[in-house]
Amino acid sequence: MSAIEEYKEVSKRYEFMSAQVNDVEKSKKEIERLITDLTKQMKESFIESFEEINKNFTYTFKELFGGGTASLALDDPENVLTCGIDIIVHPPGKIVVHLDALSGGEKALVAIALYFAIMKVRPAPFCVMDEIEAALDDVNVYRFAGYLRRLTDNTQFILITHRRGTMEEADVLYGVTMQEEGVSKLLELRSSEVAEKLGIDSK
């Protein structure tokens, strides 16, 4: 006779567990659908941003190098979220098969061009650069500084530098000096004030 009671208990537990399993399977399907939708959106967003950055990279490279061509290419266009990205550059007057064939200054300038291309698509309100132009020669330092000046409408830059060309484009210079042993002193120099005192047009 106890089998009837046991059946009722097992039957209730089975119904409960079946409902739980159905809920889990339903949630799984919803999550899988959500993942599919998000992946699709991520691919579309990535491709859109990639194409825009690629276009900006080409223009920025030409301006910083004074010519040549440059582009970005996906290793596997079918799997844009997991594949690598190739940087293809041809500086003016050079035949380059691989980035390793570039000099240290040229590699730095390529990286700077790519960084500026990204910033044009997603401008940051504030940016700190630590001797980013250290490997550049004087001509390219002036090109870099001039190009950086054009980006100051949307972004405020703080640069740590020892290069004269970069300093000449700065609005304000801050220096740290140690006139006394162990005592650091901060110096501030505003280019507009200097230009006014010297009677020079700062623009």
Side-chain angles (χ1 to χ4, degrees):
M1 296 296 292
S2 63
I4 296 174
E5 293 299 325
E6 288 179 13
Y7 172 76
K8 288 180 179 178
E9 291 179 9
V10 172
S11 180
K12 285 182 181 178
R13 182 163 177 74
Y14 173 77
E15 290 174 0
F16 173 77
M17 295 300 290
S18 295
Q20 293 292 309
V21 169
N22 290 335
D23 287 343
V24 170
E25 288 179 348
K26 183 180 178 182
S27 298
K28 180 186 174 185
K29 289 179 181 178
E30 289 178 356
I31 291 172
E32 287 175 343
R33 182 183 57 78
L34 183 62
I35 290 172
T36 301
D37 292 343
L38 285 174
T39 302
K40 183 181 177 183
Q41 290 177 21
M42 287 168 62
K43 283 183 179 179
E44 291 173 353
S45 178
F46 178 85
I47 291 171
E48 183 182 345
S49 297
F50 178 80
E51 289 175 352
E52 202 169 343
I53 291 170
N54 191 16
K55 185 169 61 177
N56 290 336
F57 179 53
T58 301
Y59 294 140
T60 305
F61 180 89
K62 285 181 179 179
E63 289 192 54
L64 290 177
F65 276 83
T69 60
S71 62
L72 303 173
L74 296 171
D75 281 345
D76 183 5
E78 297 299 319
N79 299 297
V80 296
L81 299 180
T82 56
C83 73
I85 299 174
D86 292 326
I87 301 174
I88 304 161
V89 297
H90 297 288
K94 276 194 174 185
I95 298 174
V96 178
V97 178
H98 198 275
L99 283 177
D100 289 338
L102 298 175
S103 67
E106 287 171 331
K107 288 178 184 176
L109 202 57
V110 169
I112 290 169
L114 181 56
Y115 181 66
F116 284 163
I118 295 170
M119 284 198 69
K120 283 183 177 180
V121 178
R122 298 280 187 274
F126 190 77
C127 180
V128 179
M129 296 180 175
D130 186 359
E131 297 193 53
I132 191 173
E133 81 297 45
L136 305 182
D137 58 24
D138 290 339
V139 173
N140 286 325
V141 167
Y142 280 100
R143 280 182 184 167
F144 158 77
Y147 199 89
L148 188 68
R149 165 63 71 179
R150 284 184 254 166
L151 300 178
T152 56
D153 290 340
N154 298 317
T155 304
Q156 181 179 6
F157 293 94
I158 291 181
L159 280 82
I160 299 166
T161 184
H162 294 99
R163 305 303 297 270
R164 178 178 175 177
T166 306
M167 293 181 193
E168 288 179 1
E169 286 291 340
D171 293 323
V172 184
L173 294 174
Y174 293 97
V176 179
T177 183
M178 190 180 291
Q179 295 176 340
E180 300 176 31
E181 186 67 28
V183 180
S184 296
K185 184 178 180 182
L186 183 67
L187 303 176
E188 178 184 346
L189 180 65
R190 293 184 177 272
S191 59
S192 57
E193 293 176 2
V194 174
E196 187 179 339
K197 287 180 181 178
L198 296 177
I200 302 170
D201 185 0
S202 60
K203 296 182 180 178

